[in-house]
Amino acid sequence: MTCRKALKLMPLLAGDDIGPRRARTVRAHVDACPACRRELDGIREALARVKAAARAESLPDWSAGEWKALMVRAVEGGQAASGKRERFGRRALRPRWAAASALGALIGLAVLSVLFRGPVPGPAPVGTAGRAVEAEAPPDQDVVSMTVVSQETGLQIVWFFDKKFDYEGVHK
Amino acid sequence: MVLSGRTEAFEPLVGPYRGPLLALAYRLTRDREDAREVAQEAFLKAFRSLGRFDLSRSFRNWLFQIAANEARDRLRRVKRERAVFEAAAREPSAPASGTAPGPEAGRERSETRSEILRALDSLGPREREVFVLRDLEELDIRETARVLGCSSISVRVNLSSARRKVREAIRRDFPQLEEGR
């Protein structure tokens, strides 16, 4: 191992933060190299001094009142936050309920329109959206039908009338 | 118990960490007032986030993680504010420009700074976090990585550079210690 490589690994070796195999290699080099040994001792000593100073240092602490106030603040703040979350949650759910209801209503309408739709008497001429087409009835014809086709949705509504244009209520 | 709604159980839960958390905040921010703010915010956030706490993790390390994030945000904010203040002080219309000390300078004067803090001043933010957690709080490499949300390799790289810088700072500031060896 070269001095350069050993110097690179030395700060980690000083705190035992390299694997055992690497540590053995660096130690072997340090034992044989006085300059690297001095460097390793220097790092170890600096670390020891910093740690000792940190232990001796007067650290800030909470007074009993401060600590109590902090705990009260934490609990009250937490409860307020959870209350806010709950309120927000309810508000956020409202559109989902509305969307579900709207979807349900649409499906219901679609089912009803299929169930109560009369038979389609042949292809209706495609014109503008919602255009009503009236069949011309020959004099001997008993029933007249009228079909409205929506170009947008494809929905067809068919009415059947008798000669006098009285709605019979019979679907054919 | 706290999770089930018994908020009074929060104090016994965090009580053992009131000192260590404040000490960590102090070592990271280098300022008693900032440390208090950081630790307070960390406890408040911990209470609010208890539901997300992973029970397989160490509670102390989880608190440390919140405090480290909080300290980082605060230091960033202080740095930004200082930059704004210095930019304002440089303007020609600023009264007594260059002679009036900034709030930071005043704070630093009033702060009793120990040798250790002076040595740690030479470290970058990440190096400082790694050094404080590994060497002063004595977390292992993996715990340190978890608290800081980085890889073990990143911790090793920053730790190596931090220790080297601390050694250089001590050699520079206290040559008598070096000679006495």
Side-chain angles (χ1 to χ4, degrees):
Chain A
M1 173 169 277
T2 61
C3 288
R4 199 176 159 191
K5 197 156 189 192
L7 284 171
K8 229 178 187 177
L9 293 169
M10 235 168 254
L12 292 179
L13 180 69
D16 293 326
D17 289 313
I18 46 174
R21 195 188 291 175
R22 252 186 176 176
R24 265 199 305 276
T25 319
V26 183
R27 270 195 207 106
H29 173 84
V30 166
D31 288 344
C33 175
C36 286
R37 171 175 278 278
R38 260 199 312 279
E39 187 60 25
L40 180 62
D41 288 346
I43 296 173
R44 278 193 175 139
E45 202 173 312
L47 266 183
R49 281 183 191 283
V50 171
K51 284 182 184 180
R55 276 193 297 272
E57 189 180 36
S58 83
L59 292 167
D61 198 5
W62 308 96
S63 68
E66 268 179 333
W67 180 249
K68 201 88 201 153
L70 174 59
M71 288 300 107
V72 169
R73 211 179 129 202
V75 170
E76 282 175 355
Q79 281 168 346
S82 66
K84 209 182 283 175
R85 244 194 326 270
E86 205 173 295
R87 281 200 299 279
F88 176 75
R90 271 189 212 139
R91 218 175 19 241
L93 275 176
R94 235 175 267 151
R96 265 183 252 158
W97 277 105
S101 311
L103 189 66
L106 269 177
I107 291 170
L109 280 173
V111 169
L112 283 174
S113 72
V114 169
L115 285 176
F116 292 101
R117 200 174 80 177
V120 182
V126 179
T128 54
R131 184 175 151 200
V133 180
E134 199 173 326
E136 276 183 37
D140 58 336
Q141 191 174 329
D142 291 330
V143 177
V144 174
S145 75
M146 190 171 77
T147 307
V148 175
V149 182
S150 166
Q151 277 192 326
E152 285 166 8
T153 60
L155 185 71
Q156 296 185 351
I157 302 168
V158 186
W159 286 276
F160 293 90
F161 301 95
D162 64 8
K163 277 181 186 170
K164 295 170 189 167
F165 277 87
D166 286 335
Y167 179 59
E168 286 182 341
V170 178
H171 292 171
K172 289 186 181 176
Chain B
M1 279 201 292
V2 185
L3 292 179
S4 62
R6 288 189 56 193
T7 50
E8 71 276 9
F10 184 62
E11 186 171 357
L13 182 68
V14 295
Y17 308 106
R18 55 185 266 185
L21 200 80
L22 188 57
L24 174 70
Y26 175 58
R27 284 171 177 152
L28 290 175
T29 59
R30 298 159 282 172
D31 183 273
R32 284 173 190 262
E33 271 314 301
D34 284 348
R36 220 167 273 272
E37 294 275 323
V38 165
Q40 267 189 31
E41 203 49 48
F43 280 122
L44 296 177
K45 279 196 176 159
F47 186 86
R48 287 198 293 266
S49 318
L50 265 179
R52 290 198 295 271
F53 171 61
D54 175 2
L55 289 168
S56 65
R57 287 188 64 184
S58 147
F59 186 66
R60 180 191 71 151
N61 290 354
W62 183 65
L63 285 178
F64 276 14
Q65 182 177 10
I66 298 174
N69 288 341
E70 217 30 65
R72 198 177 308 132
D73 288 350
R74 189 161 188 94
L75 287 176
R76 224 175 273 155
R77 209 163 43 236
V78 166
K79 197 174 168 187
R80 242 196 333 262
E81 283 167 8
R82 194 192 299 162
V84 169
F85 177 83
E86 281 169 2
R90 271 199 300 273
E91 279 177 17
S93 58
S97 172
T99 54
E104 193 64 22
R107 199 175 67 176
E108 286 202 6
R109 260 208 317 273
S110 67
E111 195 73 21
T112 314
R113 300 175 58 112
S114 61
E115 291 177 14
I116 173 179
L117 281 185
R118 253 182 278 158
L120 297 188
D121 278 349
S122 58
L123 306 181
R126 192 51 130 191
E127 291 167 343
R128 188 186 182 84
E129 287 173 350
V130 167
F131 186 85
V132 166
L133 288 169
R134 172 72 190 99
D135 284 331
L136 304 186
E137 301 298 336
E138 299 184 337
L139 268 62
D140 64 29
I141 296 275
R142 200 178 295 176
E143 285 175 323
T144 305
R146 192 126 197 223
V147 166
L148 297 177
C150 62
S151 67
S152 297
I153 295 172
S154 165
V155 168
R156 282 199 171 88
V157 168
N158 282 295
L159 187 63
S160 179
S161 135
R163 283 176 180 165
R164 191 171 288 123
K165 283 184 181 176
V166 166
R167 189 258 196 283
E168 286 306 317
I170 289 180
R171 183 155 52 184
R172 188 184 58 236
D173 298 337
F174 309 99
Q176 71 279 9
L177 296 178
E178 197 71 14
E179 284 161 15
R181 278 204 303 122

